[in-house]
Amino acid sequence: MTTLSERISQSAFDGSRLRVVLLLDLHEGAQQDFLEAYEHLRNQVASVPGHITDQLCQSIENPSQWLITSEWESAPPFLAWVNSEEHVKMVQPLHGCVRDTRSLRFSVLRETSNIASLVPEPPKGRLQANPRVGDGVVRHALTFTVKPGSESMVAEILAGYTSPEARVDDTTRLRRTSLFMHGNRVVRAVEVQGDLVAALRHISQQPEVRAVEEAINPYLEQDRDLSDPNSARVFFTRAALPAVHHVASGGQQPDGIRRHALYYPAKEGCGMALARMLARQDELAADDPSCPVAGSTIFQRDDVVVRMVDLRIPVDSDPMLSLGVRGPRKTAVLRRLIDTDVAGGLSNDREIARFLERSDMALITDRRAPGA
């Protein structure tokens, strides 16, 4: 069995309470507008399922620095809300007040309370049972669609750019960028050692990346103007495809591992449940030292579910293992959660192999930084 200390793991599905910390730097003179926008926002957030409480704080050293903390019963309801179109519209009034923001999310592992001040009702949600072992790498993805018929042109543009400088600063560097396409959908996954926000800003400022972004603009289904900060912010907010689960065997990975990204067409409203089921299967696989899955990352937003998997074997040599399901019972669960009108049936080995073939996204580029 693989012990806790031998594998890398992160997950939004452990059921523990979530603490969200939002750091804000306001424009001078914007405090009153910000407070009015926050009052409206907090009344809406209070009605979101899974929300427990939030606090607004102002720095005692720099009045332009503010902090919003919120607590949630668990990560899934927060992720469902923060990735929703409702949230995009809800936070728009804040953008004109804020110079810079940074969002941090933490599972609650331990807590200390003054017993005399405890309320009779116990807190909702539970504490994280055990600490997870990380590797200092943050994983994130962006996804967007291009106009039908432009796929080959977009793939050529995305494959041909010069890699940006990997070093961001003394503590942050780009490790890997993997870019895939499935039909007219693009998925760009990045691995960053250090500060993800600093790395994404670094990438956006590189001339070779800006040239690529401008080159694909005419082919995007969602219009954007990268010279307009609000337009760019809305686009990348909608394009965010968070990593909700990652597991990998610890230590140096051997040569010969191939990376694939599998696209799962979830039924409407089933994206989170599908991602959770795949996460459980990957956790079980990580406990099996003979399993040829070296690591997997599940990205999910609404009903877009992508599982990026590193395999020691060809992807089609064991279709069920590559898809992240073991046995007929889990295959039946997968069948209930995916849109079979799009994916086809999963009633026999042949249909499973066809589904894997359709799900396996086309690899456009997979670039590692030196030493990564």
Side-chain angles (χ1 to χ4, degrees):
M1 296 288 288
T2 303
T3 64
L4 175 69
S5 61
E6 292 176 327
R7 60 179 166 102
I8 307 303
S9 177
Q10 68 184 71
S11 183
F13 298 129
D14 59 11
S16 59
R17 293 208 309 273
L18 181 74
R19 172 71 67 179
V20 180
V21 179
L22 182 63
L23 305 170
L24 307 104
D25 186 14
L26 300 191
H27 292 295
E28 294 303 323
Q31 282 83 354
Q32 189 58 43
D33 289 341
F34 170 74
L35 283 173
E36 292 176 2
Y38 173 76
E39 284 298 317
H40 180 67
L41 176 65
R42 77 183 184 96
N43 290 330
Q44 293 178 296
V45 176
S47 64
V48 176
H51 175 266
I52 298 175
T53 185
D54 62 72
Q55 291 181 322
L56 175 66
C57 310
Q58 185 178 20
S59 170
I60 62 174
E61 299 171 334
N62 182 351
S64 294
Q65 293 179 344
W66 294 66
L67 172 70
I68 299 175
T69 68
S70 61
E71 192 166 356
W72 299 74
E73 293 177 14
S74 62
F78 167 77
L79 292 173
W81 173 71
V82 80
N83 293 322
S84 68
E85 190 65 24
E86 177 188 9
H87 176 262
V88 173
K89 296 175 181 177
M90 193 182 298
V91 299
Q92 278 283 22
L94 294 177
H95 292 324
C97 308
V98 177
R99 181 185 295 113
D100 192 21
T101 63
R102 184 181 182 189
S103 179
L104 305 171
R105 295 105 184 245
F106 300 87
S107 291
V108 181
L109 186 67
R110 301 285 187 271
E111 64 181 355
T112 302
S113 301
N114 183 341
I115 297 177
S117 66
L118 287 177
V119 295
E121 182 182 356
K124 297 179 180 179
R126 63 177 177 82
L127 301 183
Q128 182 180 330
N130 296 297
R132 294 179 177 269
V133 177
D135 56 359
V137 177
V138 184
R139 296 163 177 89
H140 187 67
L142 296 172
T143 186
F144 51 86
T145 55
V146 298
K147 297 173 182 176
S150 69
E151 293 89 347
S152 60
M153 178 64 71
V154 171
E156 183 178 347
I157 294 171
L158 294 174
Y161 72 97
T162 302
S163 297
E165 171 62 38
R167 183 179 182 277
V168 177
D169 54 37
D170 291 341
T171 59
T172 300
R173 67 191 300 264
L174 305 175
R175 288 176 50 90
R176 190 170 184 176
T177 300
S178 307
L179 200 147
F180 302 88
M181 290 187 70
H182 184 273
N184 70 328
R185 179 172 293 281
V186 177
V187 172
R188 178 191 291 150
V190 296
E191 296 180 2
V192 173
Q193 189 166 16
D195 188 339
L196 175 64
V197 174
L200 294 179
R201 286 175 179 166
H202 167 79
I203 293 171
S204 67
Q205 293 167 359
Q206 301 305 299
E208 54 270 32
V209 173
R210 293 183 68 86
V212 168
E213 297 289 354
E214 292 293 344
I216 66 172
N217 265 351
Y219 307 109
L220 298 177
E221 287 198 312
Q222 179 188 340
D223 292 334
R224 68 178 182 185
D225 179 2
L226 294 180
S227 64
D228 177 358
N230 187 59
S231 175
R233 184 186 297 112
V234 169
F235 177 86
F236 287 111
T237 298
R238 288 174 172 155
L241 188 62
V244 294
H245 188 271
H246 172 77
V247 65
S249 53
Q252 186 68 28
Q253 296 296 339
D255 295 333
I257 292 177
R258 296 292 302 274
R259 171 161 289 187
H260 294 265
L262 304 177
Y263 177 77
Y264 297 77
K267 285 182 180 176
E268 185 176 356
C270 292
M272 183 75 73
L274 175 56
R276 190 193 302 268
M277 188 274 287
L278 294 172
R280 288 173 180 163
Q281 292 295 288
D282 284 341
E283 288 281 346
L284 293 174
D287 285 335
D288 182 358
S290 66
C291 182
V293 178
S296 73
T297 306
I298 298 170
F299 301 95
Q300 182 259 330
R301 179 194 181 107
D302 298 329
D303 293 328
V304 177
V305 180
V306 174
R307 177 170 165 268
M308 191 168 67
V309 58
D310 295 329
L311 293 171
R312 301 185 180 95
I313 59 174
V315 68
D316 57 357
S317 62
D318 189 336
M320 289 184 66
L321 182 144
S322 296
L323 285 170
V325 291
R326 290 186 171 189
R329 291 181 61 186
K330 294 304 178 183
T331 304
V333 174
L334 178 63
R335 188 185 304 118
R336 290 198 299 270
L337 296 174
I338 63 171
D339 185 346
T340 52
D341 291 339
V342 176
L346 294 171
S347 301
N348 52 55
D349 291 345
R350 187 175 181 180
E351 289 182 348
I352 292 171
R354 285 180 178 174
F355 174 57
L356 173 63
E357 184 179 0
R358 286 193 292 267
S359 298
D360 193 12
M361 303 181 74
L363 176 63
I364 305 303
T365 181
D366 185 22
R367 306 184 184 202
R368 293 175 180 260

Short mmCIF file of all heavy atoms in Angstrom, two decimals, residues 144-165:
data_model
loop_
_atom_site.label_atom_id
_atom_site.label_comp_id
_atom_site.label_asym_id
_atom_site.label_seq_id
_atom_site.Cartn_x
_atom_site.Cartn_y
_atom_site.Cartn_z
N PHE A 144 -11.59 27.39 -23.14
CA PHE A 144 -12.45 28.27 -23.93
C PHE A 144 -12.73 27.57 -25.25
O PHE A 144 -12.08 26.57 -25.60
CB PHE A 144 -11.78 29.64 -24.17
CG PHE A 144 -10.38 29.56 -24.70
CD1 PHE A 144 -10.12 29.46 -26.06
CD2 PHE A 144 -9.30 29.59 -23.83
CE1 PHE A 144 -8.83 29.38 -26.55
CE2 PHE A 144 -7.99 29.52 -24.30
CZ PHE A 144 -7.75 29.41 -25.67
N THR A 145 -13.71 28.06 -25.97
CA THR A 145 -14.07 27.47 -27.25
C THR A 145 -13.76 28.44 -28.39
O THR A 145 -13.79 29.65 -28.20
CB THR A 145 -15.55 27.08 -27.28
OG1 THR A 145 -16.35 28.24 -26.96
CG2 THR A 145 -15.86 25.98 -26.28
N VAL A 146 -13.47 27.85 -29.55
CA VAL A 146 -13.20 28.64 -30.75
C VAL A 146 -14.29 28.36 -31.78
O VAL A 146 -15.04 27.40 -31.67
CB VAL A 146 -11.81 28.31 -31.33
CG1 VAL A 146 -10.72 28.67 -30.32
CG2 VAL A 146 -11.70 26.84 -31.72
N LYS A 147 -14.38 29.23 -32.75
CA LYS A 147 -15.43 29.10 -33.75
C LYS A 147 -15.26 27.81 -34.55
O LYS A 147 -14.15 27.49 -34.98
CB LYS A 147 -15.41 30.31 -34.69
CG LYS A 147 -15.71 31.62 -33.99
CD LYS A 147 -15.52 32.82 -34.91
CE LYS A 147 -15.77 34.14 -34.16
NZ LYS A 147 -15.49 35.31 -35.02
N PRO A 148 -16.34 27.04 -34.73
CA PRO A 148 -16.24 25.81 -35.52
C PRO A 148 -15.65 26.09 -36.90
O PRO A 148 -16.01 27.07 -37.55
CB PRO A 148 -17.69 25.34 -35.61
CG PRO A 148 -18.35 25.91 -34.39
CD PRO A 148 -17.69 27.25 -34.18
N GLY A 149 -14.75 25.25 -37.32
CA GLY A 149 -14.07 25.42 -38.59
C GLY A 149 -12.70 26.06 -38.46
O GLY A 149 -11.90 26.02 -39.40
N SER A 150 -12.42 26.65 -37.28
CA SER A 150 -11.13 27.32 -37.08
C SER A 150 -10.16 26.46 -36.27
O SER A 150 -9.06 26.91 -35.96
CB SER A 150 -11.34 28.66 -36.36
OG SER A 150 -11.75 28.45 -35.02
N GLU A 151 -10.54 25.23 -35.96
CA GLU A 151 -9.76 24.41 -35.04
C GLU A 151 -8.32 24.21 -35.52
O GLU A 151 -7.37 24.33 -34.74
CB GLU A 151 -10.42 23.04 -34.83
CG GLU A 151 -11.74 23.10 -34.11
CD GLU A 151 -12.93 23.28 -35.05
OE1 GLU A 151 -12.69 23.60 -36.24
OE2 GLU A 151 -14.08 23.10 -34.60
N SER A 152 -8.13 23.87 -36.79
CA SER A 152 -6.78 23.59 -37.27
C SER A 152 -5.91 24.85 -37.25
O SER A 152 -4.71 24.78 -36.91
CB SER A 152 -6.83 23.01 -38.69
OG SER A 152 -7.45 23.92 -39.59
N MET A 153 -6.49 26.00 -37.57
CA MET A 153 -5.74 27.25 -37.54
C MET A 153 -5.33 27.59 -36.10
O MET A 153 -4.18 27.97 -35.83
CB MET A 153 -6.56 28.38 -38.14
CG MET A 153 -5.85 29.74 -38.11
SD MET A 153 -4.35 29.78 -39.10
CE MET A 153 -5.11 29.73 -40.75
N VAL A 154 -6.27 27.42 -35.17
CA VAL A 154 -5.97 27.72 -33.77
C VAL A 154 -4.90 26.77 -33.24
O VAL A 154 -3.98 27.18 -32.53
CB VAL A 154 -7.26 27.61 -32.92
CG1 VAL A 154 -6.93 27.69 -31.43
CG2 VAL A 154 -8.23 28.72 -33.30
N ALA A 155 -5.00 25.48 -33.59
CA ALA A 155 -4.00 24.52 -33.14
C ALA A 155 -2.61 24.88 -33.65
O ALA A 155 -1.62 24.78 -32.92
CB ALA A 155 -4.39 23.11 -33.61
N GLU A 156 -2.54 25.33 -34.88
CA GLU A 156 -1.24 25.73 -35.45
C GLU A 156 -0.66 26.93 -34.72
O GLU A 156 0.54 26.98 -34.42
CB GLU A 156 -1.42 26.05 -36.94
CG GLU A 156 -0.12 26.40 -37.64
CD GLU A 156 -0.32 26.67 -39.13
OE1 GLU A 156 -1.42 26.34 -39.65
OE2 GLU A 156 0.60 27.21 -39.78
N ILE A 157 -1.52 27.90 -34.40
CA ILE A 157 -1.05 29.08 -33.67
C ILE A 157 -0.56 28.70 -32.27
O ILE A 157 0.51 29.11 -31.82
CB ILE A 157 -2.17 30.14 -33.57
CG1 ILE A 157 -2.52 30.68 -34.95
CG2 ILE A 157 -1.76 31.29 -32.64
CD1 ILE A 157 -3.76 31.56 -34.97
N LEU A 158 -1.35 27.87 -31.58
CA LEU A 158 -1.03 27.51 -30.20
C LEU A 158 0.20 26.60 -30.10
O LEU A 158 0.87 26.56 -29.06
CB LEU A 158 -2.23 26.83 -29.55
CG LEU A 158 -3.46 27.73 -29.34
CD1 LEU A 158 -4.63 26.91 -28.82
CD2 LEU A 158 -3.14 28.86 -28.37
N ALA A 159 0.49 25.87 -31.16
CA ALA A 159 1.64 24.97 -31.13
C ALA A 159 2.94 25.66 -31.49
O ALA A 159 4.02 25.16 -31.17
CB ALA A 159 1.40 23.80 -32.08
N GLY A 160 2.85 26.83 -32.13
CA GLY A 160 4.04 27.41 -32.72
C GLY A 160 4.71 28.53 -31.95
O GLY A 160 5.71 29.08 -32.41
N TYR A 161 4.22 28.87 -30.77
CA TYR A 161 4.79 30.03 -30.08
C TYR A 161 6.07 29.65 -29.33
O TYR A 161 6.33 28.48 -29.02
CB TYR A 161 3.77 30.63 -29.10
CG TYR A 161 3.52 29.82 -27.86
CD1 TYR A 161 4.17 30.11 -26.67
CD2 TYR A 161 2.60 28.76 -27.87
CE1 TYR A 161 3.94 29.38 -25.52
CE2 TYR A 161 2.37 28.03 -26.73
CZ TYR A 161 3.03 28.33 -25.56
OH TYR A 161 2.80 27.59 -24.44
N THR A 162 6.88 30.66 -29.06
CA THR A 162 8.11 30.47 -28.29
C THR A 162 7.78 30.45 -26.80
O THR A 162 7.02 31.29 -26.32
CB THR A 162 9.11 31.60 -28.58
OG1 THR A 162 9.37 31.63 -29.99
CG2 THR A 162 10.40 31.39 -27.81
N SER A 163 8.34 29.50 -26.09
CA SER A 163 8.05 29.38 -24.65
C SER A 163 8.53 30.62 -23.90
O SER A 163 9.62 31.12 -24.16
CB SER A 163 8.74 28.14 -24.07
OG SER A 163 8.25 26.97 -24.66
N PRO A 164 7.72 31.12 -22.96
CA PRO A 164 8.15 32.28 -22.17
C PRO A 164 9.23 31.90 -21.17
O PRO A 164 9.46 30.71 -20.90
CB PRO A 164 6.86 32.70 -21.44
CG PRO A 164 6.07 31.44 -21.34
CD PRO A 164 6.38 30.65 -22.58
N GLU A 165 9.88 32.90 -20.61
CA GLU A 165 10.89 32.68 -19.59
C GLU A 165 10.27 31.96 -18.40
O GLU A 165 9.22 32.36 -17.89
CB GLU A 165 11.47 34.02 -19.14
CG GLU A 165 12.37 33.96 -17.93
CD GLU A 165 13.61 33.12 -18.15
OE1 GLU A 165 14.16 33.18 -19.29
OE2 GLU A 165 14.00 32.40 -17.22
#
